[in-house]
């Protein structure tokens, strides 16, 4: 578990982070989202000790994080840093050795990762000969080769096609399943929504929202409902006449509406059930997508 508490950082007169606090739980994947310049990369660099904070603390499993702890974290920086003219397998072994692994252990770990990431056949090729997507996979392998205790990844899915995303996702989920806290930033909100257990939204250097994926969706759901009717007399036009209800979309037997209260919404359902020659196919609250929540909290 990684705790970031009260982190602030300025560059000259510009305050980049303002009292940033959030937790990355063990065994869970936490998505860190925000617009360009919101403070994601600066936060990650402070967590890893690449930058210092003006104030605040970072702790690992309840203890102040040390240089030794940070060396055991798998980090994928925004600026990719592998050697273009070195064979992929050779540099993964080299990186493993830098983290204290024996040559044999580093080779075993690197070979297994390249196989899982679909790069086994390119292990002997220089990095620069790979496509950008495959270079990205190699960079992910570099963050994982030393069998880290936690992962901090800056835009790990950038440049990956949908099939590669699925492959990388499987590898990251395996690490989380072993109990490692996983933090990654991404502009691809659909991927974050599908992948993450928890989400942290940052804007203007401040945390705007955080919590479990489902908790955030429930918190920002409001009282928007959808009703779908079938049957010979399926017509939802009558919903517009109900008190405490404002219809936002109507199409035959389908209605989406805002309700002033849960009681008003339940009244609509009760009337729908009572209508002759009509069957209620579905009735449910509408939960917002992560993209919708992001727009709401960043405004």
């Amino acid at each position: 578990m990684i705790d970031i508490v009260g982190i602030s950082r300025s560059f000259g007169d510009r305050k980049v982070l303002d009292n940033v606090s959030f937790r990355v739980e063990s065994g869970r994947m936490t998505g860190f989202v925000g617009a360009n310049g919101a403070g994601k990369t600066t936060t990650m660099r402070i967590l890893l000790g690449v930058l210092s904070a003006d104030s605040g603390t970072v702790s690992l499993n309840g203890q102040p994080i040390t240089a030794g702890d940070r060396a055991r974290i798998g980090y994928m920086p925004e600026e990719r840093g592998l050697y273009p003219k070195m064979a992929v397998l050779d540099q993964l072994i080299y990186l493993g050795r830098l983290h204290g692994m024996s040559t044999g252990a580093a080779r075993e770990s690197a070979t297994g990762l390249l196989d899982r990431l679909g790069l086994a056949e390119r292990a002997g090729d220089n990095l620069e000969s790979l496509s950008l997507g495959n270079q990205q996979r190699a960079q992910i392998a570099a963050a994982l080769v030393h069998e880290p205790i936690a992962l901090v990844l800056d835009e790990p899915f950038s440049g990956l096609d949908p099939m590669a995303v699925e492959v990388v996702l499987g590898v990251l989920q395996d690490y989380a399943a072993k109990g490692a806290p996983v933090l990654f930033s991404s502009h691809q909100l659909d991927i974050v929504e599908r992948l993450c257990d928890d989400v942290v939204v940052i804007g203007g250097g401040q945390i705007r929202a955080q919590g479990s994926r489902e908790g955030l969706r429930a918190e920002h759901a409001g009282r928007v409902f959808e009703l779908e009717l079938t049957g010979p007399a399926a017509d939802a036009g009558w919903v517009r006449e109900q008190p405490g209800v404002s219809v936002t979309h109507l199409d035959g037997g389908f209605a989406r509406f805002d309700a002033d209260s849960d009681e008003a919404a339940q009244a609509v359902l009760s009337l729908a059930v009572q209508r002759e020659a009509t069957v209620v196919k579905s009735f449910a609250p509408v939960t917002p997508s992560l993209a919708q929540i992001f727009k709401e909290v960043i405004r």
Side-chain angles (χ1 to χ4, degrees), residues 4-130:
I4 294 171
V5 180
I7 293 293
S8 293
R9 170 73 196 219
S10 296
F11 294 106
D13 295 333
R14 186 167 65 96
K15 195 157 197 174
V16 178
L17 298 178
D18 184 8
N19 195 33
V20 167
S21 298
F22 63 90
R23 172 175 290 177
V24 186
E25 297 277 3
S26 298
R28 294 174 70 84
M29 297 184 66
T30 299
F32 195 27
V33 300
N36 288 331
K40 302 186 301 296
T41 297
T42 300
T43 302
M44 289 180 160
R45 287 174 174 171
I46 289 173
L47 192 165
L48 271 297
V50 179
L51 288 174
S52 60
D54 295 333
S55 60
T57 62
V58 179
S59 61
L60 178 67
N61 297 327
Q63 299 296 321
I65 195 166
T66 66
D69 294 330
R70 285 173 165 136
R72 299 174 64 202
I73 294 176
Y75 179 42
M76 179 176 175
E78 184 180 24
E79 303 86 4
R80 310 311 186 215
L82 298 182
Y83 302 108
K85 297 187 180 299
M86 190 174 182
V88 175
L89 178 60
D90 289 346
Q91 55 186 311
L92 292 181
I93 294 172
Y94 172 68
L95 292 171
R97 293 290 310 278
L98 286 180
H99 281 91
M101 302 178 80
S102 68
T103 300
R107 180 179 296 277
E108 182 179 357
S109 177
T111 302
L113 281 167
L114 291 177
D115 184 52
R116 286 215 58 191
L117 290 165
L119 289 177
E121 294 182 357
R122 307 300 301 272
D125 295 346
N126 289 351
L127 184 78
E128 64 182 1
S129 70
L130 305 184

Side-chain angles (χ1 to χ4, degrees), residues 235-240 247-256:
D235 182 358
W238 56 270
V239 177
R240 289 178 296 192
V247 173
T248 58
H249 184 76
L250 185 65
D251 183 10
F254 174 84
R256 181 184 296 116

Side-chain angles (χ1 to χ4, degrees), residues 67-242:
D69 294 330
R70 285 173 165 136
R72 299 174 64 202
I73 294 176
Y75 179 42
M76 179 176 175
E78 184 180 24
E79 303 86 4
R80 310 311 186 215
L82 298 182
Y83 302 108
K85 297 187 180 299
M86 190 174 182
V88 175
L89 178 60
D90 289 346
Q91 55 186 311
L92 292 181
I93 294 172
Y94 172 68
L95 292 171
R97 293 290 310 278
L98 286 180
H99 281 91
M101 302 178 80
S102 68
T103 300
R107 180 179 296 277
E108 182 179 357
S109 177
T111 302
L113 281 167
L114 291 177
D115 184 52
R116 286 215 58 191
L117 290 165
L119 289 177
E121 294 182 357
R122 307 300 301 272
D125 295 346
N126 289 351
L127 184 78
E128 64 182 1
S129 70
L130 305 184
S131 67
L132 291 178
N134 281 341
Q135 289 183 28
Q136 184 80 342
R137 296 193 205 197
Q139 188 78 51
I140 292 167
L144 301 174
V145 68
H146 60 292
E147 300 175 352
I149 59 173
L151 294 176
V152 177
L153 311 173
D154 204 348
E155 295 289 344
F157 299 101
S158 177
L160 296 181
D161 61 46
M163 289 190 66
V165 167
E166 294 301 320
V167 170
V168 172
L169 165 60
V171 173
L172 298 185
Q173 286 177 325
D174 283 352
Y175 267 83
K178 294 175 183 176
V182 178
L183 175 69
F184 72 87
S185 71
S186 179
H187 287 97
Q188 297 161 279
L189 296 180
D190 57 330
I191 292 178
V192 174
E193 185 162 27
R194 187 160 57 91
L195 287 188
C196 289
D197 304 296
D198 303 305
V199 179
V200 178
V201 182
I202 189 171
Q206 297 179 324
I207 300 301
R208 302 297 183 86
Q210 61 178 303
S212 70
R213 177 185 56 195
E214 297 308 320
L216 281 176
R217 294 182 70 185
E219 179 184 341
H220 292 268
R223 291 193 180 92
V224 182
F225 295 83
E226 287 183 348
L227 171 69
E228 187 173 1
L229 307 173
T230 61
D235 182 358
W238 56 270
V239 177
R240 289 178 296 192
E241 304 168 5
Q242 304 311 305

